[in-house]
């Protein structure tokens, strides 16, 4: 196997992982700020970065397949004999993937909590609005809530 080509592909994949981590960190800040516009922008950026990451991964896997190292067992055995720089790069990629999965899970949890909070606020505002619409312009009860009878006429 061409170790230098594999190393270059791993470095390219690692750069894509780093870019995605930066985007997920920005996404987390946008979630915390309730910044819907930036979240939409982040979604487009994440999609593009995931496509780039998939392309880099596919190139690396193609090289591994050419060398007969597509399955995990053969790959791990070969990797133990690979140059230290390549092993370190691989370990860095594995750690980056774990960080990305964790960060993505945290973002999903935060987004869910924020959506629930926003929903509760909207429900509260709707309830307040219903209570307020029962009063007329000068603070007295409007006719829609009291029916045809006037307040105090009973």
């Amino acid at each position: 196997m061409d170790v230098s080509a594999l190393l270059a592909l791993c470095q390219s994949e690692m750069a894509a992982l780093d870019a995605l981590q930066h985007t997920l960190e920005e996404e987390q800040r946008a979630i915390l700020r309730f910044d819907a516009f930036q979240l939409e922008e982040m979604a487009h950026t994440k999609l593009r970065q995931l496509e780039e990451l998939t392309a880099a991964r596919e190139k690396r896997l193609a090289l591994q397949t050419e060398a007969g190292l597509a399955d995990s067992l053969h790959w791990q055995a070969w990797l133990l004999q690979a140059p230290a720089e390549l092993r370190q790069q691989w370990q860095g990629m594995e750690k980056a993937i774990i960080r990305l999965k964790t960060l993505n899970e945290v973002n999903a949890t935060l987004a869910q909590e924020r959506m629930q909070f926003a929903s509760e606020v909207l429900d509260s505002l709707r309830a307040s609005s219903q209570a307020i619409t029962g009063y007329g312009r000068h603070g007295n009860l409007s006719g829609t809530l009291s029916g045809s009878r006037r307040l105090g006429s009973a």
Side-chain angles (χ1 to χ4, degrees), residues 17 20-25 27-28 31 46 93-111:
L17 290 169
L20 184 57
Q21 179 177 340
H22 176 71
T23 299
L24 289 174
E25 289 167 348
E27 178 184 61
Q28 189 174 90
I31 290 168
K46 277 194 322 186
M93 288 171 43
E94 288 178 333
K95 289 177 183 177
I97 289 169
I98 291 168
R99 278 192 315 269
L100 288 173
K101 285 181 179 181
T102 302
L103 187 54
N104 194 52
E105 289 171 6
V106 168
N107 286 1
T109 300
L110 283 172

Side-chain angles (χ1 to χ4, degrees), residues 5-123:
L6 181 60
L7 182 60
L9 289 172
C10 287
Q11 289 169 339
S12 173
E13 198 170 345
M14 187 64 187
L17 290 169
D18 286 341
L20 184 57
Q21 179 177 340
H22 176 71
T23 299
L24 289 174
E25 289 167 348
E26 283 184 40
E27 178 184 61
Q28 189 174 90
R29 288 188 288 274
I31 290 168
L32 293 172
R33 287 190 319 267
F34 286 99
D35 190 341
F37 294 116
Q38 187 175 14
L39 284 173
E40 184 176 349
E41 183 181 315
M42 294 289 98
H44 294 294
T45 302
K46 277 194 322 186
L47 182 59
R48 181 181 45 78
Q49 289 174 334
L50 287 171
E51 290 169 353
E52 292 169 4
L53 184 59
T54 299
R57 180 180 177 268
E58 287 175 357
K59 287 178 185 176
R60 177 186 46 81
L61 286 174
L63 187 61
Q64 285 179 248
T65 301
E66 273 180 33
L69 302 171
D71 65 284
S72 179
L73 184 63
H74 287 101
W75 171 249
Q76 292 300 324
W78 183 87
L79 193 58
L80 289 173
Q81 306 302 318
E85 186 179 9
L86 184 60
R87 284 194 316 269
Q88 289 172 348
Q89 186 70 39
W90 188 259
Q91 290 171 348
M93 288 171 43
E94 288 178 333
K95 289 177 183 177
I97 289 169
I98 291 168
R99 278 192 315 269
L100 288 173
K101 285 181 179 181
T102 302
L103 187 54
N104 194 52
E105 289 171 6
V106 168
N107 286 1
T109 300
L110 283 172
Q112 182 64 34
E113 288 172 358
R114 295 298 175 149
M115 287 175 57
Q116 183 176 351
F117 173 75
S119 180
E120 289 171 2
V121 167
L122 287 172
D123 289 345

